[in-house]
C-alpha cells in the first residue's frame, strides 16, 4: 500500500496503480485460493479480496482507527508465509499447562510436530483448518466466514482472502472437555501471517480454549480472525494471550455468536507487540445469555495497544460484564473503546462495563471511550472509566512497613493487573502470566 | 531512643509544628494529647516520613541517627513503626504476602536470612493470637473490607510482627468500641518491654486507662505546652483542653 493512500484517507478508495505491497497480498490471496477447499469458500475469498482492494488499510481518518495508526503495517515489507520452516521448533516454550491439548502454528500454518492432539476424546474435533477444508468442509460450512463480516473491515477482508490455515475446535453436543485446549501461533520475522481460527461449541458442551500469540522480535504482521460459536446452553472459557515480540504488529478480530442460555467467559491479555489492535464483537442472539469480556493491557516503550469491544444485546434477559484494565508506562499508548448496544427488544438487560487505567509515566497516554447505546427502557446498565496514578497513600503505607519505594510500586501495579490474570482458568498459564507480568513491569 | 529538638513542619503554606521538643528513653511510654488541629497527627506522620509535610526547622535523632535524613522504609527497617489513624485499603495485595515482604525487608536490612512462606506463617499466626485477629483476615487483601476495629487490630498485629523499637500509635483508639479498645490495648501491653518505647497520640484519655503512660504531653497549636505524669491525662479529661489554653493565656499575661 503506497504512502499516498495512507494520507489520502477513506474517501479516495479507487486505486489506479497497485503498490508492491498490495501485489504481494494479491499473490497471497491467489495462492490461498489454490489450496484444496470448497467452492463456497472460494467465492467468499474473491469477494473479500475485492472488499480489501476497495477499502485499503484503514487510516486515522476512520473513526474506528482514530488512535490506531497502522502505517507500520500498510507501509511494511512482509513476506507471505507460504514456505514453512521447521527450524522454528522449540518456539512454543513452556506456556501451556502440560496436561492440555495443543495445536501449534507457525505463521498460521499447522505444525504437526509441535502439536499434541492424539488423545482427543470422542466429540472433540481439534484439527488444522486446511485439513478440515480438504477433508470435511461441511463441518465448518455453516460457520466459517459467517460471523466475521468483512464488509467495511479491511483486516477481516484481507484475512478472509489470504488465510491458508488455522485451528478448528469443535465440541459436540453434551461433551465436556476437561483439559484446556491451547492454540499457539508463532510468527517469524518479516512475515505477514494470516491466521483463521474457528471454535464451535455445540449444544450443552463445555470447554476452555486458549489462544496464544508469539513472534520473533523483529517486525512481523499477524492478522487473526477468530470466529466463536457458543450454541444453546454451552459454556466456553476463552483466553487470548498476546505476547508477540517488541517489533511485531498484531491485528486480531474476534467475533462471538451466542445462543440461548450460553455462557462465554473471556480474558484478553495483551502484553506484547509494538502495535496491537484487538476488535471483539459479541452478539447475544437469544435470551438468558451470559457474556464476560475482560481484558488487561500492560504497555511500555512505544507500544500502541488498541482494544475495541462491542457487546450487542439483541434479546431480553441477558447479562454482560466487562472489566478492562490497563497499565501504561514510558511512552506507550493505550486505547479502549467499549460499545454496549442494548436493542429495543433487550429488556431486563444487566450490563456492567469498567475500564480502569494506571499511568506510570508522564509520557504515557490512554484514550478511553465507553459507549452505551440503549434503546430498551427496562435495563440496568452501568459503565465507568478511570485514569489514575498509583495511590500515594498506599505507597506510603507499604514504605512505612519497610518495603522499598520501587518494590512498593511494583506490588501495587501487580495488584492492579492481577485482578484480570486471576480470572484465567488454567493454573499453569496463570502462573506463567504472573511471571511475564513481573518480567515486563520489573 | 528518640530526641526531638525544636521540630517545625508545615503542609503547603500552613505552619503546623512550631518547635516540638521531646525526649523518649528506652522502655518509656509517652502520650501526646491535644485538641483537634493541634498537630498531633502531623507529628506522628513527620516522624514516619510522610512526604506531604515539609520539615522546615529542628532535628530528630533516632538511636544515634538523623531520622529526618532517612527514607520512610529505612526508618521502618531501623525500628520505627507508625500505627495509622486511617489504615489504607490495598485491593489485590494479600495481607500475608505484604507483611512477609515487610518482615523480610527488615531482616535483610539487618543482615538476617529471609523467612520462607511456611516459617513466616507460623510466626505470624502466633502474633495474630495476641490481638485476637481472625486468621482469615490474613488471607484477604490488606485492610480491604475490614471493619474499623479489624483495621486497628491489623495495625497492632503488624506491629507485633515487625517488632519495632519505637511504636507510634496515631489515634489508634478512634472509632473503636470498648471491647476493641481493650483488645488493642492488651496487644500493646503485651509488647511493652524495657527496650521498646511507645508514643501514643490520642485525643481522649480513655485509651490511657488501658495503656498507662509514663509521661503525658499536651500539644496546643504546634507546641508542647504542658508535660506531666499519667495524672495529667485525668486532669485534662476532667477540665478539658480549654483549661490548658486558659492557663497558658494567664501565664502569658502574668
Amino acid at each position: 500500500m503506497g504512502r499516498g493512500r495512507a494520507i489520502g484517507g477513506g474517501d479516495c478508495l479507487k486505486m489506479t496503480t497497485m503498490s508492491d505491497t498490495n501485489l504481494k497480498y494479491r499473490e497471497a490471496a491467489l495462492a490461498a485460493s489454490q489450496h484444496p477447499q470448497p467452492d463456497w469458500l472460494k467465492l467468499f475469498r474473491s469477494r473479500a479480496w475485492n472488499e480489501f482492494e476497495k477499502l485499503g488499510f484503514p487510516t486515522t481518518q476512520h473513526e474506528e482507527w482514530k488512535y490506531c495508526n497502522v502505517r507500520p503495517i500498510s507501509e511494511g515489507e512482509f513476506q507471505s508465509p507460504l514456505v514453512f520452516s521447521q527450524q522454528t521448533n522449540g518456539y512454543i516454550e513452556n506456556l501451556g499447562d502440560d496436561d492440555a491439548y495443543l495445536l501449534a502454528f507457525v505463521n498460521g500454518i499447522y505444525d504437526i510436530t509441535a502439536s499434541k492432539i492424539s488423545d482427543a476424546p470422542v466429540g472433540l474435533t481439534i484439527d488444522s483448518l486446511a485439513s478440515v477444508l480438504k477433508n470435511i468442509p461441511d463441518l465448518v460450512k455453516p460457520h466459517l466466514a459467517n460471523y466475521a463480516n468483512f464488509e467495511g473491515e479491511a483486516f477481516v477482508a484481507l484475512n478472509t482472502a489470504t488465510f491458508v490455515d488455522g485451528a478448528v475446535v469443535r465440541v459436540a453436543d453434551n461433551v465436556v472437555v476437561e483439559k484446556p485446549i491451547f492454540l499457539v501461533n508463532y510468527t517469524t520475522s518479516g512475515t505477514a501471517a494470516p491466521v483463521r481460527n474457528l471454535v464451535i461449541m455445540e449444544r450443552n458442551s463445555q470447554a476452555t480454549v486458549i489462544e496464544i500469540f508469539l513472534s520473533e522480535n523483529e517486525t512481523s504482521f499477524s492478522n487473526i480472525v477468530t470466529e466463536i460459536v457458543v450454541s444453546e446452553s454451552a459454556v466456553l472459557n476463552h483466553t487470548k494471550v498476546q505476547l508477540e515480540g517488541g517489533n511485531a504488529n498484531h491485528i486480531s478480530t474476534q467475533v462471538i455468536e451466542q445462543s440461548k442460555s450460553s455462557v462465554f467467559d473471556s480474558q484478553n491479555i495483551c502484553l506484547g507487540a509494538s502495535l496491537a489492535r484487538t476488535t471483539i464483537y459479541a452478539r447475544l442472539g437469544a435470551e438468558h445469555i451470559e457474556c464476560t469480556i475482560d481484558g488487561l493491557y500492560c504497555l511500555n516503550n512505544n507500544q500502541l495497544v488498541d482494544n475495541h469491544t462491542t457487546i450487542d444485546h439483541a434479546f431480553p434477559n441477558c447479562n454482560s460484564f466487562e472489566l478492562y484494565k490497563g497499565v501504561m508506562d514510558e511512552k506507550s499508548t493505550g486505547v479502549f473503546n467499549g460499545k454496549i448496544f442494548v436493542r429495543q427488544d433487550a429488556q431486563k438487560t444487566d450490563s456492567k462495563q469498567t475500564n480502569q487505567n494506571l499511568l506510570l509515566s508522564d509520557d504515557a497516554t490512554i484514550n478511553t471511550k465507553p459507549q452505551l447505546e440503549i434503546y430498551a427502557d427496562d435495563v440496568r446498565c452501568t459503565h465507568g472509566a478511570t485514569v489514575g496514578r498509583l495511590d500515594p497513600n498506599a505507597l506510603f503505607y507499604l514504605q512505612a512497613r519497610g518495603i522499598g519505594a520501587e518494590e512498593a510500586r511494583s506490588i501495587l501495579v501487580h495488584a492492579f493487573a492481577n485482578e484480570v490474570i486471576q480470572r484465567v482458568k488454567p493454573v499453569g498459564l496463570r502462573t506463567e502470566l504472573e511471571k511475564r507480568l513481573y518480567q515486563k513491569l520489573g | 531512643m528518640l530526641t526531638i529538638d525544636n521540630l517545625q513542619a508545615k503542609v503547603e503554606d500552613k505552619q503546623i509544628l512550631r518547635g516540638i521538643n521531646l525526649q523518649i528513653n528506652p522502655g518509656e511510654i509517652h502520650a501526646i494529647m491535644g485538641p483537634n488541629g493541634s498537630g498531633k497527627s502531623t507529628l506522628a506522620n513527620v516522624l514516619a516520613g510522610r512526604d506531604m509535610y515539609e520539615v522546615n526547622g529542628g532535628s530528630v535523632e533516632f538511636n544515634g541517627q538523623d531520622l529526618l535524613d532517612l527514607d520512610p522504609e529505612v526508618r521502618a527497617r531501623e525500628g520505627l513503626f507508625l500505627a495509622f489513624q486511617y489504615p489504607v485499603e490495598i485491593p489485590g495485595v494479600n495481607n500475608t504476602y505484604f507483611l512477609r515482604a515487610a518482615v523480610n525487608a527488615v531482616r535483610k536490612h539487618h543482615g538476617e536470612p529471609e523467612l520462607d512462606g511456611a516459617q513466616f506463617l507460623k510466626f505470624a499466626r502466633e502474633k495474630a493470637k495476641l490481638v485476637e485477629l481472625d486468621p482469615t483476615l490474613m488471607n484477604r487483601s490488606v485492610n480491604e473490607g475490614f471493619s474499623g476495629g479489624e483495621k486497628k487490630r491489623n495495625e497492632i498485629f503488624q506491629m507485633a510482627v515487625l517488632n519495632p523499637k519505637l511504636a507510634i500509635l496515631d489515634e489508634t483508639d478512634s472509632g473503636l468500641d470498648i471491647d476493641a479498645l481493650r483488645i488493642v490495648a492488651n496487644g500493646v501491653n503485651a509488647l511493652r518491654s524495657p527496650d521498646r518505647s511507645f508514643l501514643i497520640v490520642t485525643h481522649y484519655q480513655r485509651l490511657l486507662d488501658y495503656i498507662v503512660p509514663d509521661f503525658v504531653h499536651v500539644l496546643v497549636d504546634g507546641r508542647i505546652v504542658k508535660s506531666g505524669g499519667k495524672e495529667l491525662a485525668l486532669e485534662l479529661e476532667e477540665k478539658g483542653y480549654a483549661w490548658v489554653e486558659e492557663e497558658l493565656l494567664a501565664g502569658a499575661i502574668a
Side-chain angles (χ1 to χ4, degrees):
Chain A
M1 187 73 39
R3 180 179 292 267
R5 181 58 170 292
I7 293 165
D11 293 330
C12 56
L13 293 173
K14 282 287 170 211
M15 294 182 74
T16 48
T17 56
M18 194 174 279
S19 70
D20 289 351
T21 310
N22 223 351
L23 269 175
K24 273 182 196 149
Y25 290 122
R26 162 166 273 195
E27 282 167 22
L30 193 66
S33 72
Q34 284 162 359
H35 284 263
Q37 62 195 284
D39 286 342
W40 55 264
L41 182 59
K42 287 187 179 173
L43 192 66
F44 270 130
R45 286 180 184 282
S46 91
R47 281 174 42 209
W49 175 256
N50 290 340
E51 184 71 6
F52 175 69
E53 266 202 328
K54 190 181 91 183
L55 295 171
F57 286 107
T59 69
T60 52
Q61 309 283 310
H62 294 67
E63 184 59 28
E64 297 297 315
W65 296 84
K66 190 174 172 185
Y67 300 108
C68 189
N69 190 336
V70 299
R71 254 193 214 182
I73 293 169
S74 60
E75 294 178 7
E77 294 281 330
F78 303 107
Q79 301 300 318
S80 290
L82 296 179
V83 182
F84 168 59
S85 159
Q86 288 289 346
Q87 288 171 358
T88 46
N89 272 348
Y91 58 89
I92 296 298
E93 304 179 47
N94 186 25
L95 260 184
D97 290 32
D98 289 339
D99 198 18
Y101 305 109
L102 171 64
L103 269 187
F105 297 83
V106 175
N107 297 326
I109 297 171
Y110 184 46
D111 178 358
I112 193 165
T113 56
S115 298
K116 285 197 304 186
I117 52 169
S118 54
D119 58 341
V122 175
L124 170 63
T125 308
I126 26 177
D127 205 345
S128 105
L129 177 58
S131 151
V132 169
L133 287 171
K134 187 179 167 189
N135 302 315
I136 38 168
D138 285 352
L139 183 78
V140 296
K141 187 179 177 185
H143 305 296
L144 186 66
N146 195 28
Y147 311 107
N149 185 4
F150 54 71
E151 277 154 32
E153 299 288 342
F155 287 103
V156 177
L158 180 62
N159 175 285
T160 305
T162 59
F163 78 79
V164 175
D165 206 347
V168 176
V169 176
R170 173 196 155 254
V171 185
D173 286 357
N174 303 314
V175 171
V176 175
V177 181
E178 299 288 347
K179 293 191 210 175
I181 301 160
F182 282 74
L183 313 175
V184 182
N185 186 74
Y186 184 87
T187 306
T188 57
S189 290
T191 309
V195 183
R196 187 80 184 206
N197 292 337
L198 176 62
V199 179
I200 308 163
M201 301 296 297
E202 295 188 341
R203 287 161 51 103
N204 206 29
S205 64
Q206 292 185 27
T208 298
V209 173
I210 319 292
E211 291 182 83
I212 293 178
F213 298 95
L214 308 164
S215 79
E216 288 181 327
N217 206 36
E218 297 309 312
T219 182
S220 58
F221 165 36
S222 56
N223 181 19
I224 304 108
V225 173
T226 300
E227 289 173 292
I228 296 171
V229 188
V230 194
S231 308
E232 185 176 334
S233 301
V235 178
L236 177 63
N237 298 307
H238 180 264
T239 306
K240 181 196 162 197
V241 182
Q242 190 272 102
L243 297 169
E244 294 202 29
N247 297 298
N249 301 289
H250 173 97
I251 304 284
S252 142
T253 308
Q254 221 180 76
V255 182
I256 302 108
E257 177 76 21
Q258 284 190 258
S259 297
K260 190 179 165 193
S261 303
S262 64
V263 177
F264 177 70
D265 188 353
S266 69
Q267 307 86 34
N268 167 21
I269 312 282
C270 191
L271 300 181
S274 162
L275 163 64
R277 161 71 175 244
T278 300
T279 307
I280 297 177
Y281 181 91
R283 198 177 93 88
L284 281 48
E287 288 196 57
H288 303 293
I289 288 169
E290 193 161 308
C291 177
T292 304
I293 292 182
D294 294 331
L296 171 68
Y297 41 103
C298 288
L299 321 179
N300 56 15
N301 295 327
N302 287 300
Q303 276 186 291
L304 167 64
V305 168
D306 181 343
N307 285 297
H308 267 59
T309 68
T310 304
I311 300 176
D312 190 348
H313 284 264
F315 287 82
N317 296 307
C318 295
N319 302 332
S320 69
F321 307 98
E322 181 171 17
L323 171 67
Y324 260 76
K325 292 188 125 181
V327 180
M328 272 64 57
D329 201 358
E330 297 171 353
K331 293 181 175 175
S332 62
T333 303
V335 182
F336 174 77
N337 183 300
K339 293 191 190 73
I340 310 269
F341 290 121
V342 181
R343 301 192 187 268
Q344 205 166 359
D345 291 338
Q347 302 294 357
K348 306 281 183 195
T349 290
D350 188 349
S351 173
K352 184 175 185 197
Q353 181 194 68
T354 311
N355 175 227
Q356 297 172 340
N357 296 286
L358 205 50
L359 291 176
L360 298 181
S361 105
D362 290 340
D363 298 323
T365 307
I366 175 70
N367 298 295
T368 173
K369 189 176 179 188
Q371 281 177 276
L372 256 60
E373 289 190 25
I374 303 173
Y375 302 99
D377 49 21
D378 183 14
V379 299
R380 188 169 69 181
C381 294
T382 62
H383 71 110
T386 59
V387 179
R389 293 174 183 276
L390 288 178
D391 176 8
N393 290 323
L395 270 177
F396 179 67
Y397 192 77
L398 297 179
Q399 283 179 273
R401 297 296 175 255
I403 297 169
E406 275 303 302
E407 193 186 350
R409 195 176 117 111
S410 163
I411 286 174
L412 293 179
V413 172
H414 284 91
F416 175 83
N418 228 345
E419 186 178 359
V420 175
I421 292 197
Q422 289 310 315
R423 297 180 180 193
V424 171
K425 299 287 183 304
V427 179
L429 178 64
R430 201 162 62 215
T431 310
E432 178 66 24
L433 287 174
E434 284 171 10
K435 205 173 90 193
R436 298 260 174 166
L437 199 65
Y438 265 98
Q439 282 167 359
K440 172 139 197 179
L441 295 170
Chain B
M1 175 79 65
L2 186 79
T3 307
I4 303 175
D5 182 21
N6 192 28
L7 181 64
Q8 295 160 55
K10 61 177 189 175
V11 61
E12 285 163 7
D13 282 336
K14 194 168 178 240
Q15 192 68 36
I16 299 179
L17 301 184
R18 298 168 188 273
I20 303 271
N21 295 294
L22 184 64
Q23 168 78 35
I24 300 179
N25 298 312
E28 290 177 353
I29 296 192
H30 290 245
I32 299 256
M33 301 184 72
N36 288 331
S38 59
K40 303 187 300 290
S41 278
T42 300
L43 175 62
N45 279 283
V46 164
L47 292 177
R50 189 164 214 142
D51 65 4
M52 65 180 282
Y53 301 97
E54 188 195 330
V55 174
N56 56 348
S59 65
V60 181
E61 192 192 294
F62 179 55
N63 287 328
Q65 293 193 73
D66 177 0
L67 184 76
L68 300 177
D69 200 35
L70 304 177
D71 286 333
E73 59 267 33
V74 180
R75 298 182 195 196
R77 293 170 196 165
E78 286 289 333
L80 186 141
F81 181 90
L82 171 67
F84 283 62
Q85 181 178 8
Y86 303 110
V88 184
E89 295 196 12
I90 312 181
V93 178
N94 176 278
N95 215 10
T96 304
Y97 171 82
F98 148 70
L99 203 48
R100 184 158 77 94
V103 165
N104 281 335
V106 174
R107 292 180 69 91
K108 211 171 148 189
H109 182 73
H110 294 288
E112 295 164 10
E114 298 186 13
L115 296 181
D116 67 27
Q119 289 169 323
F120 174 76
L121 216 57
K122 186 168 177 284
F123 168 67
R125 283 206 183 108
E126 286 166 19
K127 301 294 180 188
K129 279 184 205 149
L130 194 70
V131 286
E132 300 174 37
L133 187 79
D134 177 356
T136 62
L137 295 183
M138 284 166 61
N139 295 322
R140 298 239 305 261
S141 291
V142 177
N143 292 321
E144 193 185 30
F146 286 25
S147 71
E150 284 168 342
K151 283 181 184 168
K152 295 299 174 79
R153 262 190 261 180
N154 197 28
E155 293 293 290
I156 304 303
F157 164 60
Q158 292 174 22
M159 178 171 85
V161 168
L162 288 167
N163 198 24
K165 297 190 179 87
L166 171 68
I168 303 167
L169 274 55
D170 186 7
E171 308 237 4
T172 296
D173 51 333
S174 69
L176 290 188
D177 63 32
I178 206 74
D179 289 333
L181 190 71
R182 196 177 294 125
I183 292 167
V184 164
N186 286 345
V188 172
N189 286 329
L191 293 169
R192 287 183 84 150
S193 88
D195 41 51
R196 187 180 347 261
S197 310
F198 290 86
L199 180 62
I200 296 170
V201 171
T202 179
H203 185 82
Y204 299 104
Q205 185 270 339
R206 62 173 194 161
L207 179 66
L208 306 180
D209 284 341
Y210 299 95
I211 307 172
V212 181
D214 300 304
F215 302 96
V216 174
H217 311 278
V218 183
L219 193 64
V220 175
D221 199 20
R223 287 189 191 91
I224 292 176
V225 295
K226 198 172 178 68
S227 297
K230 62 187 177 202
E231 63 289 344
L232 179 56
L234 293 167
E235 207 171 349
L236 279 169
E237 181 78 357
E238 198 182 311
K239 299 181 180 169
Y241 289 111
W243 159 65
V244 183
E245 287 170 46
E246 278 162 23
E247 214 181 53
L248 269 180
L249 207 60
I253 291 163

